[in-house]
Amino acid sequence: MGKLAVLIMTRFSDRRLDFSEVRKEIRDQMVIVTNKNVFENHQKNFDYIIVSDQYSNDYSVEMKIHELNETLNFKKLICFEETDILRAAIIRERLGIEGLNYETSLLYRDKYFMKKKVSESGIKCPNFRPIENTFDLLDFVKDHGYPIFLKPRSGMIGAGTKQINNSKELENWLRNNSPTNYLAEEFIEAPVYHTNGVFNKGEIHCFSAFQYINSIRTAFEDGVGDMVISENSKLSMKLKEYTENILNILSPHSSFVFHLEVFMKEGQIYFCEIACRPAGALVPRLIKMSQGVDILVEHLRVQVIQDYKPKISKNIITDKYIAGYIIPKKNGKLIKNCDEIPYEFIAYQRNYCKEGSTYYPNHVGDRHIEVILTANTEKELHERINLIKDFVKQNSEWCNR
């Protein structure tokens, strides 16, 4: 294979996504599309930089990519977030770049198309229906009853999702929301798990499985977290086999990092949704600390490096239980900010808020404090999460006026 010109789209700073080591493996020219507030972090690792105030809203970026392609001849385009997946697919098709095309990308972006594809292959899903008007919703309720769960078909990080328990709640929701481009789903009361790893032409590498702590329904008040499941457990092996099946249904010849979510009820796995990009929040850091794998970098390596083999560090946490937890911002002004949390079982912590600032959180990623903690038992893990939440509550003061 000849030299490749590699194009990357990301708003991440080098604090989250450091290209220094992987740049040594890639001899080809590299170009990054990124935002003004982080581009200086990346200068040393790229031959060209396309800078925008917020490239996600700047569609002149495509003009610059098209112009550069005349001389660089891009062969790969890698993006790391939901909002770039379909945009990247359009660019690939237009410029003849290898990778997921638009039709396949829709299977990882549009919740209706992905569920339709997997359900037609015999995979169990909650009952679902695309929603384009109020009557679609009424018909779904008539067929399946309450409660139902509503999701934007192309949503992310829980934004715009809503559990509807009765006709009054549905009426209230419809007063403030347009029932267009949504997915209605049967509500399943069951634990939610997610799996992550590298998919490379039919095979999974660097597999990891997690159980969510809490859910979107309670995340804004109580926070949300991810508990690592032992890779040698029967549950992890079962989830790996299931995940490999799903990926081979959707795009067996593809290469990328994936993030899959499922329900588990009475031993039966129900498909929730899947993405062809690394997980967000604390999951990449948890994978790195528990498995020694930088999943963000592997998302680039598996698409660019010929004869791909994952890079795995031996510097990992070996505690039996490890989890990440996000404590959400409150709606209002932060009068007193929490100091550093003083517990020895905390392996990592970060505070995102400043005293005197006012916040209006609108999705589960709007965090006040995030932590990674360890424990010897699952019971102890949950007890320690409660200790952390209590400490933050007692040492923070919010004014919601």
Side-chain angles (χ1 to χ4, degrees):
M1 186 182 290
K3 282 192 174 184
L4 303 175
V6 179
L7 175 62
I8 291 170
M9 303 177 73
T10 183
R11 64 184 176 88
F12 296 156
S13 73
D14 64 345
R15 177 173 180 167
R16 183 166 188 186
L17 181 53
D18 188 354
F19 293 100
S20 299
E21 288 302 313
V22 72
R23 186 67 179 96
K24 298 173 185 177
E25 296 183 81
I26 302 172
R27 297 181 180 179
D28 313 295
Q29 290 185 310
M30 290 182 65
V31 179
I32 187 169
V33 176
T34 193
N35 291 338
K36 196 173 185 178
N37 64 324
V38 300
F39 87 96
E40 290 182 354
N41 305 134
H42 295 302
Q43 280 184 314
K44 63 184 181 294
N45 293 314
F46 289 87
D47 300 288
Y48 298 88
I49 299 181
I50 299 173
V51 181
S52 175
D53 288 339
Q54 290 289 334
Y55 80 81
S56 60
N57 299 317
D58 180 358
Y59 290 90
S60 71
V61 163
E62 276 80 348
M63 295 177 66
K64 296 169 186 174
I65 292 172
H66 187 271
E67 182 181 346
L68 275 176
N69 186 63
E70 294 295 318
T71 55
L72 297 181
N73 189 24
F74 293 120
K75 295 297 183 182
K76 295 286 184 179
L77 193 172
I78 292 92
C79 61
F80 293 83
E81 293 187 277
E82 296 274 18
T83 48
D84 291 330
I85 289 172
L86 295 182
R87 187 178 185 181
I90 292 170
I91 296 170
R92 288 192 195 104
E93 289 191 349
R94 174 69 182 188
L95 301 183
I97 299 172
E98 298 174 20
L100 293 180
N101 60 24
Y102 191 83
E103 183 179 355
T104 305
S105 295
L106 272 176
L107 298 176
Y108 293 96
R109 190 71 187 97
D110 187 299
K111 293 175 175 57
Y112 170 65
F113 287 128
M114 70 175 70
K115 287 181 185 291
K116 183 173 184 291
K117 179 74 172 177
V118 300
S119 64
E120 287 173 350
S121 299
I123 301 298
K124 284 190 175 293
C125 298
N127 290 308
F128 64 94
R129 175 173 178 160
I131 301 299
E132 294 300 331
N133 55 61
T134 299
F135 299 105
D136 288 341
L137 263 175
L138 294 175
D139 289 343
F140 186 80
V141 170
K142 181 179 178 182
D143 291 341
H144 302 290
Y146 293 105
I148 65 171
F149 204 74
L150 295 177
K151 305 176 178 180
R153 283 175 58 168
S154 298
M156 55 185 287
I157 56 175
T161 59
K162 181 67 176 177
Q163 180 182 333
I164 306 289
N165 297 300
N166 52 55
S167 60
K168 185 65 176 177
E169 289 185 10
L170 180 59
E171 183 180 348
N172 290 338
W173 185 85
L174 286 166
R175 284 198 180 100
N176 299 294
N177 297 274
S178 172
T180 304
N181 205 31
Y182 269 81
L183 187 79
E185 203 174 80
E186 171 193 10
F187 179 73
I188 291 185
E189 186 70 60
V192 183
Y193 297 84
H194 62 90
T195 67
N196 308 269
V198 180
F199 184 65
N200 188 26
K201 298 179 176 62
E203 294 185 355
I204 289 177
H205 305 268
C206 310
F207 180 80
S208 61
F210 297 78
Q211 181 176 353
Y212 278 117
I213 302 169
N214 292 344
S215 67
I216 289 172
R217 291 176 295 156
T218 59
F220 285 101
E221 292 300 321
D222 198 36
V224 66
D226 311 89
M227 181 179 70
V228 178
I229 296 171
S230 170
E231 62 180 322
N232 298 318
S233 67
K234 289 182 180 180
L235 175 57
S236 181
M237 290 186 278
K238 180 179 181 178
L239 288 169
K240 182 178 181 181
E241 182 180 356
Y242 178 92
T243 302
E244 198 165 82
N245 185 29
I246 294 292
L247 289 162
N248 279 300
I249 288 170
L250 295 176
S251 58
H253 306 295
S254 301
S255 298
F256 49 70
V257 162
F258 62 85
H259 173 69
L260 167 70
E261 298 182 353
V262 299
F263 305 99
M264 182 82 75
K265 186 173 184 179
E266 298 174 354
Q268 175 66 56
I269 302 175
Y270 291 82
F271 178 86
C272 180
E273 57 190 66
I274 191 169
C276 56
R277 48 80 186 165
L282 283 166
V283 175
R285 189 179 290 271
L286 281 164
I287 293 172
K288 193 170 186 177
M289 294 173 75
S290 62
Q291 290 199 355
V293 175
D294 189 332
I295 205 72
L296 291 165
V297 170
E298 292 306 302
H299 184 57
L300 170 60
R301 292 185 73 252
V302 73
Q303 296 182 69
V304 174
I305 303 296
Q306 195 173 12
D307 301 323
Y308 167 79
K309 292 181 181 179
K311 278 194 168 183
I312 301 174
S313 168
K314 294 182 179 179
N315 184 22
I316 61 173
I317 291 176
T318 57
D319 294 67
K320 191 170 183 180
Y321 287 87
I322 178 171
Y325 202 83
I326 290 172
I327 296 172
K329 295 172 181 172
K330 301 292 186 183
N331 194 41
K333 186 175 182 179
L334 181 59
I335 306 300
K336 179 190 174 187
N337 201 2
C338 179
D339 295 326
E340 182 174 309
I341 306 168
Y343 301 129
E344 75 286 348
F345 53 77
I346 294 177
Y348 159 84
Q349 62 180 294
R350 184 179 176 188
N351 192 318
Y352 284 82
C353 295
K354 294 181 179 180
E355 282 187 9
S357 296
T358 301
Y359 299 96
Y360 303 97
N362 61 7
H363 59 76
V364 295
D366 278 337
R367 66 204 76 176
H368 177 190
I369 291 170
E370 63 183 17
V371 298
I372 290 175
L373 66 150
T374 62
N376 295 310
T377 66
E378 185 174 347
K379 181 175 182 289
E380 184 178 61
L381 186 77
H382 288 282
E383 289 172 348
R384 289 178 171 182
I385 288 172
N386 287 332
L387 280 174
I388 291 168
K389 290 192 293 185
D390 288 344
F391 182 89
V392 173
K393 184 177 180 180
Q394 292 167 10
N395 291 275
S396 304
E397 183 181 348
W398 293 82
C399 177
N400 60 6
R401 295 180 183 178

